[in-house]
Amino acid sequence: MREVETRSGVRLVVVGAIGEGASSAAAFLVSMRLNCRGVRTVNLGTGITLAEAAAALSRHRGAEALLLVSESGVHVTRQLSGLAELRTAGDVAGPVFVGGAGSGSWRALRPLAAQLRGLGVTEVLSDLADAAALLPDRHSGTVPAVAAPAQPEPVAVQVA
């Protein structure tokens, strides 16, 4: 696989569907929606392991985060059990987001969010396309705090 170097100003993340339960369509949707938000993606496809994801992350220079699609909470904690060790070794330096493509996957992952954060996951998201707003600030290297979604401001309409 060839290495990808990003042009100045272009954001890049590595996306993969971890385990056998996640669909390739979900990983594709996340990648497509991130591309629409100006974030370039390297889509690893489906059925990847944590070790494969970490290796891909190291091959792609300038990748700012690892996004792991998981549509089922059944095996995800086992699949991510080595994440803390990979972080300690420096093999996974950026944030790791776990979630789905806006489908019902969040319901399966929500009860595991604290446990996943304990394994080294930065944030569990109902829609990984939202990770575009959570990428590290390039100047400070910090990940923005997760905030509640902003409510739209009321619009005054004048009827003639």
Side-chain angles (χ1 to χ4, degrees), residues 53-64:
L57 190 62
S58 69
R59 282 194 305 270
H60 297 286
R61 295 178 201 179
E64 298 177 56

Side-chain angles (χ1 to χ4, degrees), residues 34-101:
L34 283 164
N35 286 319
C36 290
R37 294 177 182 191
V39 178
R40 208 168 138 210
T41 61
V42 175
N43 188 339
L44 303 177
T46 189
I48 66 164
T49 65
L50 181 58
E52 291 168 335
L57 190 62
S58 69
R59 282 194 305 270
H60 297 286
R61 295 178 201 179
E64 298 177 56
L66 177 60
L67 280 64
L68 299 173
V69 178
S70 176
E71 294 188 345
S72 168
V74 177
H75 301 293
V76 72
T77 54
R78 185 173 37 107
Q79 293 163 336
L80 296 177
S81 64
L83 181 58
E85 291 82 10
L86 289 170
R87 285 188 165 288
T88 302
D91 295 332
V92 176
V96 177
F97 299 103
V98 175

Side-chain angles (χ1 to χ4, degrees), residues 7-154:
R7 296 182 308 257
S8 178
V10 176
R11 313 298 304 254
L12 176 71
V13 297
V14 175
V15 177
I18 194 160
E20 300 301 323
S23 74
S24 58
F28 173 76
L29 284 173
V30 167
S31 291
M32 182 182 72
R33 293 178 63 223
L34 283 164
N35 286 319
C36 290
R37 294 177 182 191
V39 178
R40 208 168 138 210
T41 61
V42 175
N43 188 339
L44 303 177
T46 189
I48 66 164
T49 65
L50 181 58
E52 291 168 335
L57 190 62
S58 69
R59 282 194 305 270
H60 297 286
R61 295 178 201 179
E64 298 177 56
L66 177 60
L67 280 64
L68 299 173
V69 178
S70 176
E71 294 188 345
S72 168
V74 177
H75 301 293
V76 72
T77 54
R78 185 173 37 107
Q79 293 163 336
L80 296 177
S81 64
L83 181 58
E85 291 82 10
L86 289 170
R87 285 188 165 288
T88 302
D91 295 332
V92 176
V96 177
F97 299 103
V98 175
S103 63
S105 61
W106 174 245
R107 287 184 208 100
L109 293 173
R110 183 178 6 199
L112 302 172
Q115 186 177 2
L116 290 169
R117 284 189 204 97
L119 293 173
V121 169
T122 306
E123 196 62 50
V124 179
L125 302 171
S126 60
D127 189 343
L128 284 174
D130 293 339
L134 300 177
L135 291 176
D137 178 7
R138 290 182 175 197
H139 302 294
S140 69
T142 61
V143 178
V146 178
Q151 297 297 320
E153 293 189 25

